[in-house]
Amino acid sequence: MAAISTHYGDVHRWILKVIDSCTEYEQIFTAHRLVSNFTNMKYPTLEWFEKSSLNGQLISAVYDKQRQLLEKQYESTRS
């Protein structure tokens, strides 16, 4: 499912949902690409500090999810 709206807030929320829905480590690579695409998009109505804040939230979310999935994978190999 793709984001229907092109408004930066809707796209941001959709990417957060995609990140949250990752259940396998391999899926995180797609989430990283989505974050990268978002950070490269131009939104003329946003000030640089607003864009930086949105980018930071997504980057943090994707790395947190990646860490969670790695820990889950590590724990499953230890059992």
Side-chain angles (χ1 to χ4, degrees):
M1 179 176 146
I4 296 170
S5 173
T6 57
H7 185 271
Y8 64 86
D10 294 335
V11 175
H12 181 264
R13 282 188 292 279
W14 177 74
I15 294 172
L16 286 173
K17 287 180 184 180
V18 170
I19 293 168
D20 190 47
S21 72
C22 292
T23 57
E24 301 294 326
Y25 187 75
E26 292 76 20
Q27 294 171 326
I28 207 69
F29 298 112
T30 301
H32 274 286
R33 282 196 304 273
L34 286 173
V35 171
S36 177
N37 288 343
F38 183 84
T39 59
N40 291 327
M41 291 175 78
K42 305 285 188 248
Y43 290 106
T45 58
L46 278 178
E47 297 291 332
W48 70 269
F49 57 88
E50 294 170 315
K51 183 73 162 86
S52 294
S53 176
L54 292 174
N55 291 347
Q57 290 172 10
L58 290 176
I59 292 167
S60 178
V62 77
Y63 280 115
D64 286 345
K65 187 63 164 189
Q66 183 175 5
R67 180 187 47 76
Q68 291 171 9
L69 293 173
L70 276 173
E71 287 175 357
K72 177 183 160 190
Q73 190 175 30
Y74 177 71
E75 289 299 320
S76 69
T77 59
R78 292 191 69 193
S79 305

